[in-house]
Amino acid sequence: RVSSDGKPPKFQPPPKPVIIDRKTRKEERRFLSPEFIPPRGRTDPLKYYIERKDMIQRRKVFNIPEFYVGSVLAVTTADPFASDKSKRFVGICIQRGGKGLGATFVLRNVIEDQGVEICYELYSPRIQAIEVLKLEKRLDENLTYLRDALPEYSTFDVNMKPVPRMDQEEIPVNKLQVRMKPKPWSKRWERPKYNIKGIKFELPEHKMKAAQKWSQPWLEFDMLREYDTSKIEEKIRKELSEELEK
Amino acid sequence: MMPIWTKSGEKHAVTLLKVQDCHVLRYVSKEESGGKTAKLLVGGKNVSPFSKPESAHEIFKEAGVPQKQKVTTFNVTDDAIIKPGTPLYAAHFRPGQFVDVTAKTIGKGFQGVMKRWGFKGQPASHGQTKTHRRPGAISTNKAAKVYCGKKMPGKMGNIYRTSFGLKVWRINTKHDIIYVNGSVPGHTNCLVKVRDSKLPTYKNCNKNPPFPTFFADGDEELPEDLFDEEIFQFTDPSVTFS
């Protein structure tokens, strides 16, 4: 190249590449509440479609926030017998059950040394508000073993303030390993069928080995038990996003 | 089955029944049938005609209607006669009405006396020799016979049974679905016969029903969903007590 002066042209660095991470951003924060996914069965899909319409209708009027098993929630319900006509309960979500309109979640707390579990229906009209005080996941999907754990792991302050959270962050996984009360427990949690990772088993080695006798290693290879929900979830997500934007 | 909530916050379980291609097939007059009232033959769900014999094709050819899986009779007064070939819709029923639902119960096959009739059986231990689920004695000494109709093991289920007095909570006119209170005999997706209730308490419950039936001519524009007055609709805010 020939420059005007005869000197070599001044080096101009190329423009810095601007990386717009669109793909990863979009895939991240798409949460589908588990009660929308229809169970495997021979029911007519029309029934699930109609149920979903009702659920979307309820969600438009009343906000059901995103939460997981292990997050701390505060629920206010209408009660005809209370003085203020409403009751507020704070607790950790132990399990989420049911599909469709009958979806439920169980909150657990220890109040005045008494463990209390209340099962609420997500779509019940009696629920006036659901606030997520602490949004986090745990190592298991079912925390029913908290009944046999030391009470300190199930106590939550009733007047707890909501923990602030950034919108785009990933949901933190609390890798807490819970210490249990001495045996007997309500269920034999050390057995492989429960597949619990969130307990710090202080049992002797031979007992842990003996519990492995009930393991069923062929279950993970059983093809008839496979239920691939990815395509169903995609369709339902599309439907939800379309309907909620209206 | 689905939950449904009332305005006072109570939950009821509800069964969804879909009205799938129902047509009136034939009118049988009182004298012809030999009964007390005239009858209307109504057919349900469409099915391919190739699996049925030619003799079964007649009724459907006359009415000009595809082959139906099930044909039932309804006893009908003379002023409620409908022309054969008219389609029947879910809007024939209205919320707040009471209804009887008949269907074939789930077949359980050959069952023993404990499951079929609810007998108590015998204890599991304390010396019982090979007798834990048997009926025990079947008659007395004086009778010297076994009475006709004695409860014994046999084929259970797969017979027609009716649930009476079920309330209709909601009707979806777009998809022809009736929401009926409580449970209904039969397995999922089985064929079911829905009739106005014959119980004396619900004789005069139905005020201004679509008579003789709901004709989708376009005269009456019904909303997509018809609700009972007491139902909590999801468009309303949450229930509060005062």
Side-chain angles (χ1 to χ4, degrees):
Chain A
R1 288 167 198 182
V2 182
S3 71
S4 48
D5 288 346
K7 294 180 198 165
K10 194 170 180 187
F11 172 69
Q12 289 200 326
K16 271 194 174 158
V18 180
I19 305 168
I20 309 168
D21 239 346
R22 277 202 202 113
K23 276 188 187 172
T24 43
R25 270 265 168 96
K26 272 194 181 165
E27 279 170 27
E28 250 179 48
R29 300 287 286 116
R30 279 187 345 185
F31 169 71
L32 184 65
S33 210
E35 74 264 7
F36 279 104
I37 303 164
R40 245 192 340 177
R42 292 164 72 180
T43 338
D44 203 354
L46 178 69
K47 186 242 179 187
Y48 297 123
Y49 171 70
I50 285 180
E51 212 168 8
R52 242 176 291 139
K53 272 203 322 198
D54 276 339
M55 286 150 80
I56 292 168
Q57 192 50 253
R58 173 74 177 152
R59 274 176 186 251
K60 280 187 191 173
V61 173
F62 174 73
N63 171 43
I64 298 176
E66 165 193 353
F67 68 97
Y68 304 88
V69 169
S71 20
V72 182
L73 306 185
V75 173
T76 5
T77 34
D79 185 17
F81 308 112
S83 48
D84 287 333
K85 303 297 168 192
S86 66
K87 255 200 244 175
R88 189 183 134 104
F89 185 74
V90 171
I92 185 173
C93 177
I94 289 190
Q95 69 182 39
R96 285 183 80 159
K99 297 284 179 192
L101 280 174
T104 53
F105 62 101
V106 180
L107 292 185
R108 177 182 168 86
N109 202 346
V110 172
I111 298 174
E112 292 177 22
D113 295 330
Q114 172 65 50
V116 177
E117 284 181 16
I118 304 188
C119 176
Y120 292 105
E121 284 155 3
L122 274 174
Y123 295 94
S124 167
R126 276 213 184 150
I127 296 187
Q128 283 160 351
I130 306 181
E131 307 147 36
V132 175
L133 299 175
K134 198 179 191 192
L135 182 67
E136 62 175 13
K137 285 194 205 183
R138 289 279 198 110
L139 292 170
D140 311 297
E141 297 233 329
N142 201 312
L143 297 178
T144 13
Y145 58 78
L146 287 179
R147 293 170 193 157
D148 296 317
L150 297 170
E152 65 201 34
Y153 295 100
S154 316
T155 27
F156 293 92
D157 183 23
V158 182
N159 305 315
M160 193 164 113
K161 297 278 168 65
V163 167
R165 223 189 124 247
M166 297 286 292
D167 223 7
Q168 297 293 328
E169 268 175 13
E170 272 195 40
I171 299 116
V173 179
N174 190 353
K175 302 202 174 166
L176 175 65
Q177 298 246 303
V178 146
R179 288 184 59 212
M180 305 291 276
K181 291 192 243 179
K183 269 202 161 190
W185 297 329
S186 58
K187 295 247 153 76
R188 294 171 214 247
W189 303 112
E190 73 275 11
R191 292 221 176 149
K193 98 168 186 196
Y194 298 106
N195 194 20
I196 291 179
K197 295 170 187 139
I199 300 183
K200 187 168 185 175
F201 291 108
E202 279 150 9
L203 297 170
E205 273 289 332
H206 68 272
K207 292 227 163 155
M208 295 299 291
K209 262 195 167 177
Q212 291 302 315
K213 202 165 60 165
W214 280 270
S215 70
Q216 296 175 310
W218 57 85
L219 273 190
E220 68 171 294
F221 304 109
D222 195 342
M223 291 176 79
L224 285 182
R225 274 170 208 263
E226 282 169 10
Y227 184 36
D228 187 23
T229 49
S230 46
K231 291 184 185 163
I232 304 171
E233 276 183 37
E234 278 304 316
K235 280 192 203 165
I236 296 177
R237 270 204 193 104
K238 254 195 196 174
E239 207 184 306
L240 267 184
S241 48
E242 277 167 33
E243 290 285 328
L244 284 172
E245 270 158 35
K246 282 188 193 170
Chain B
M1 285 195 72
M2 241 179 17
I4 236 185
W5 285 273
T6 55
K7 288 192 171 146
S8 51
E10 286 154 8
K11 182 167 95 151
H12 296 270
V14 140
T15 314
L16 308 196
L17 305 175
K18 180 161 163 77
V19 177
Q20 200 164 4
D21 325 309
C22 288
H23 285 92
V24 175
L25 298 177
R26 197 199 275 172
Y27 159 67
V28 177
S29 64
K30 194 159 79 169
E31 295 79 36
E32 224 180 298
S33 62
K36 290 186 189 170
T37 46
K39 294 198 210 289
L40 277 182
L41 289 182
V42 170
K45 200 166 140 186
N46 284 349
V47 143
S48 88
F50 303 116
S51 50
K52 299 282 156 89
E54 286 282 338
S55 49
H57 292 338
E58 276 179 40
I59 308 184
F60 304 103
K61 276 192 189 158
E62 281 172 47
V65 138
Q67 182 91 13
K68 303 289 182 187
Q69 185 173 338
K70 186 101 194 100
V71 175
T72 47
T73 47
F74 287 90
N75 290 336
V76 148
T77 43
D78 285 324
D79 51 351
I81 301 171
I82 309 173
K83 186 180 170 182
T86 41
L88 300 172
Y89 300 100
H92 176 97
F93 296 102
R94 286 299 143 95
Q97 197 183 344
F98 288 84
V99 135
D100 293 340
V101 175
T102 317
K104 267 197 171 173
T105 47
I106 298 178
K108 316 260 174 177
F110 196 100
Q111 288 301 334
V113 108
M114 275 178 86
K115 191 181 191 71
R116 197 178 182 210
W117 299 113
F119 283 17
K120 279 180 80 177
Q122 289 82 27
S125 69
H126 289 300
Q128 311 292 321
T129 35
K130 306 186 332 182
T131 322
H132 306 288
R133 299 184 67 95
R134 298 181 75 186
I138 52 176
S139 190
T140 50
N141 186 19
K142 198 169 178 189
K145 66 169 187 176
V146 176
Y147 293 116
C148 186
K150 174 84 194 71
K151 290 180 181 175
M152 284 186 161
K155 291 256 163 63
M156 180 181 168
N158 203 25
I159 44 171
Y160 284 104
R161 282 289 188 252
T162 317
S163 315
F164 294 100
L166 303 178
K167 182 169 175 180
V168 171
W169 283 107
R170 178 177 161 181
I171 291 193
N172 188 317
T173 36
K174 187 174 164 201
H175 298 280
D176 277 332
I177 298 182
I178 310 176
Y179 291 57
V180 149
N181 190 35
S183 59
V184 139
H187 55 85
T188 26
N189 304 333
C190 80
L191 285 176
V192 130
K193 175 180 171 181
V194 184
R195 226 183 40 217
D196 294 327
S197 193
K198 72 170 215 297
L199 293 180
T201 20
Y202 305 128
K203 238 190 204 174
N204 304 316
C205 75
N206 207 1
K207 279 138 202 182
N208 303 327
F211 197 79
T213 189
F214 173 76
F215 298 104
D217 293 337
D219 300 345
E220 245 186 283
E221 283 291 329
L222 282 181
E224 190 189 326
D225 273 305
L226 292 165
F227 294 94
D228 186 47
E229 299 150 345
E230 287 172 24
I231 280 191
F232 169 80
Q233 302 198 23
F234 290 116
T235 40
D236 305 333
S238 306
V239 156
T240 40
F241 299 101
S242 47

